[in-house]
Amino acid sequence: MKKTLLSFLSSLKLTIALLIIIAVASILGTVIPQQYGGGEAFRHLSPGLVKAFRSLQLFDMYHSVWFIILMGLLSLNLITCSLNRFPTSWKLFKKIPSLDRGKPFEKLSPDRILVIEGKPHEVIGRGENLLKKRYKRVRKKDTANSTVFYGEKGTYSHFGVYVIHLSILIIIAGAIISSLLGFNAYVNIAEGESTNTVYLGRQKGIKKLDFTVRCDKFSIALYKNGMPKEYRSNLSFLKDNNVIFQGPLLVNHPITVNGIRFYQASYGTIPGDQVYLTIKKGNDEEIIRKVRLKDSFYLKEKNAKLTILRIEENLMSMGPAVLINIQSPEGTMRFWAFEHIEKIKDRIPGLFKKVPKFNPGLFKPYYFTLNRIEKKYYTGLQLSRDPGVSTVAIGSFFIIIGFFITFFSSHKRLWVRVDEQEGKSRISVAATSNKDPVGLKREIEHLLRHFSYMRG
Amino acid sequence: MIINTTILGWVTFIYFGSAIFYIFRMVTGREFWGPFASIIAFTGLIAQTVGLILRWFESYKMGIGHAPLSNLYESLIFFSWTIVLLYLIIEWRIKSRNLGAFVIPFAFLSMAYASFSPNVNSRIQPLIPALQSNWLISHVITCFFGYAAFTIACGLGFMYLLKGLGKDEDTRPFFRFLPGREIVDELIYHSIVIGFIFLTLGIITGSVWAYSAWGSYWSWDPKETWSLVTWFIYAAMLHSRFVRGWRGKRMAIMSLIGFASVLFTYFGVNYLPGLHSYF
């Protein structure tokens, strides 16, 4: 039972099956929107299906229990099959074949035999030096009428595959460290505002930083054709009211403060605290005046003080509006000035009768309209602390090394026999390789050429 | 019309001509047409290189200098450039033109899509902030060399399957030029290895870039996910060869499946929402 489980876990069938299942699941994840609760998907699916999808965690598939189990199985499979195969590779690495058999030289093709001037005993010494220079673990064996050398190179090629598998496990370990010990968060900060509360990704709640981030300014630079060239947030980081770091944050240029990296992720606008008010008095020319929230100015002729009490971006679905307070000798009155009052009037006949507070001409002879609310930028920051990154980087580095060992090196074993033929030396080269037959052929040609230089 | 797009437009026709000559050579079974095909392909590659360099210069003249690897048009041009470059290296190394009829048409199609599709904008555009990174060049280059190697593997796969339609020692014009099965199998393997290494490098450079741009080296964006799926397919292919000794027809079929996944990673993903929307 134990054995069958182990052989199942270490089987290539399981590897292939897991790769296919994970691939299909991943593809599913690119089709089903990965949002909390399914988001948009609601509209297209029946409630029962949404419920089923939710219980299968299909809207957050890559973090679902079953996806993590699949990844875990893949790692386990990787570990067991590597452990299973390792002893064989180790034996291949260690083993030096015996030299006194003629077997490697049976059926040797003529182009692997070379006859050179000089007696064998003259050639052997030089040949040994040549082989020792080119190969490792060179062995020599004298028999009755010949001398056989053995040499090899690229023994490490047996381990390439373990380097790759280990690298993958290191990358997975890094990913686990990232998800357990790291965090991702975001926060929107309006210009001039500051905060130390950020929102964790995947709706995991909020997080308090031990310092405060202030957005001093957000700006966009455009190219001539109107495409965005630069998003820049000037940020200050404060601790106990002291600035600990200050600098511009740009896309692709994160800032690290206290081990937390800040990224320029998005931006947007919110209504600011300034508005432009259009004021018309009787048949006079319109004038436009800029007013700040809670600020006042005087309408001199009527000895009245006008104050902006509230700014609403969308009041009762009727668009932007400001609440105006007027204090005059006649008394105090409050009413709303809309931006799109003409359209609203047309849509709702008799509006001012029903709701006198919406009448912008309430304080005669003035007529107020909201010209526009001055917008204010906010910057969208992404924050992350990721202690797994260096582990993943190490794994990525070694996976490439592993590829080069596995795909571009091979264990080449060569047998060189020197014997006498009509007063000259006959050199025969036999060889095997665990892969790359083309490279082996080149190696043999190379060696024979070196031997041929020895002539004379 | 800017000079570089004119040159690159012409390159489309040059590759078309080259493909025709390679196919003609195959169909007539006469080597006579071969050198024309090669010379035309090589001319196309030179012209395309000049076009790409000019485009690079022109972008600097416009004051928005960047390598011509920043939008769909430029990536398609670069894709076909890598295909032809890799192909000509292989042709030179194996001293055989048999593969040309199966590979150069891909280079032509990529150029034709770039030059003639109304959805592909050939203007030089400035880099948006997310693309202003030193990782752009290394990411795009590694990915596209990977894609090109997989394209060649796919061409070889087709070749292998076509060979299966004939007899072993077929002397009919078309089949005469199809090389032996073991050679094709070996070439498929080598192309897959090259592609796999470049794809891995592409994924790694992409994650480094994502880490400096978005704060996360992996975020299951559709393109990331699909590149991983592609990686899995080729990994499965290499394993079945190494461990199970799969050869020949199965490898040929898998090289086609792998290429379909590459194509989806490249184009299909644009229909899904994600971070790679500018490609």
Side-chain angles (χ1 to χ4, degrees), chain A residues 12-13 15-16 18-19 22-23 26-27 30-31 62-63 67 71 74 85 165 168 174-175 178 184 223-225 227-231 251-254 261 263-264 382 384 386 388-389 392 396-397 399-400 403-404 406-408 435 437 442, chain B residues 62-64 93 124-133 186 189-190 193-194 196-197 200-201 204 209-217 219-223 225-226 228-229 231-233 235-240 242-244 264 272-273:
Chain A
L12 182 70
K13 269 201 187 118
T15 318
I16 303 287
L18 282 171
L19 289 181
I22 294 174
S26 306
I27 291 169
T30 62
V31 181
Y62 303 110
H63 305 99
F67 196 77
M71 287 299 210
L74 187 68
R85 285 167 175 277
H165 286 175
I168 292 172
S178 296
N184 259 301
Y223 291 107
K224 271 182 237 149
N225 69 355
M227 279 169 72
K229 183 180 188 178
E230 182 190 86
Y231 302 123
V251 181
N252 271 311
H253 299 280
R261 282 160 70 99
Y263 297 85
Q264 180 65 55
Q382 179 82 33
S384 87
D386 197 335
V389 166
V392 173
S396 305
F397 176 74
I399 202 172
I400 298 299
F403 281 163
F404 275 86
T406 308
F407 296 129
F408 300 127
K435 43 199 164 188
R442 215 175 297 139
Chain B
M62 290 165 74
I64 49 171
R93 285 290 294 266
I124 300 178
Q125 286 160 320
L127 290 181
I128 60 165
L131 292 179
Q132 294 164 10
S133 166
E186 197 64 23
Y189 166 69
H190 284 294
V193 164
I194 299 292
F196 193 62
I197 292 173
T200 312
L201 282 169
I204 292 172
W209 185 6
Y211 181 58
S212 70
W214 295 295
S216 170
Y217 53 83
S219 40
W220 296 104
D221 156 74
K223 200 152 195 131
T225 309
W226 271 93
L228 185 69
V229 169
W231 195 85
F232 276 2
I233 292 172
M237 193 171 167
L238 289 169
H239 279 86
S240 50
F242 274 141
V243 184
R244 282 295 163 82
F264 198 84
L272 303 167

Side-chain angles (χ1 to χ4, degrees), chain A residues 85-97 136-137 139 150-160 162 405 409-413 434:
Chain A
R85 285 167 175 277
F86 191 78
T88 323
S89 304
W90 184 251
K91 260 182 223 152
L92 283 168
F93 171 71
K94 273 299 201 195
K95 200 177 122 200
I96 295 179
K136 292 199 181 97
R137 298 203 291 193
R139 299 281 189 279
Y150 169 80
E152 60 185 9
K153 70 199 279 187
T155 38
Y156 58 88
S157 87
H158 292 292
F159 300 121
Y162 304 105
I405 298 173
S409 80
S410 62
H411 185 188
K412 298 187 179 80
R413 314 174 145 205
N434 59 341

Side-chain angles (χ1 to χ4, degrees), chain B residues 5-58:
Chain B
T5 40
T6 313
I7 293 175
L8 293 171
W10 274 102
V11 170
T12 315
F13 294 108
I14 298 177
Y15 286 156
F16 179 70
S18 172
I20 292 295
F21 273 100
Y22 275 116
I23 293 167
F24 200 60
R25 166 185 173 277
M26 205 75 192
V27 174
T28 57
R30 290 184 60 200
E31 186 56 48
F32 174 77
W33 304 106
F36 292 103
S38 301
I39 289 166
I40 295 170
F42 187 68
T43 314
L45 185 70
I46 300 289
Q48 196 178 10
T49 313
V50 171
L52 280 169
I53 292 171
L54 279 177
R55 193 175 172 87
W56 203 330
F57 274 122
E58 275 164 32

Side-chain angles (χ1 to χ4, degrees), chain A residues 238-305:
Chain A
L238 304 107
K239 198 167 185 174
D240 309 323
N241 290 324
N242 295 319
V243 174
I244 49 174
F245 188 85
Q246 201 162 29
L249 179 66
L250 301 154
V251 181
N252 271 311
H253 299 280
I255 290 177
T256 307
V257 178
N258 281 9
I260 297 173
R261 282 160 70 99
F262 287 79
Y263 297 85
Q264 180 65 55
S266 65
Y267 72 95
T269 53
I270 48 165
D273 49 7
Q274 278 190 91
V275 297
Y276 291 86
L277 211 56
T278 310
I279 305 163
K280 193 167 161 57
K281 187 175 137 242
N283 292 324
D284 287 2
E285 282 282 297
E286 283 182 352
I287 52 161
I288 293 176
R289 208 173 158 146
K290 188 168 155 185
V291 204
R292 194 177 279 279
L293 181 67
K294 307 272 168 152
D295 273 4
S296 313
F297 64 88
Y298 287 92
L299 301 163
K300 282 192 184 108
E301 288 124 77
K302 299 271 285 183
N303 198 14
K305 188 172 126 188

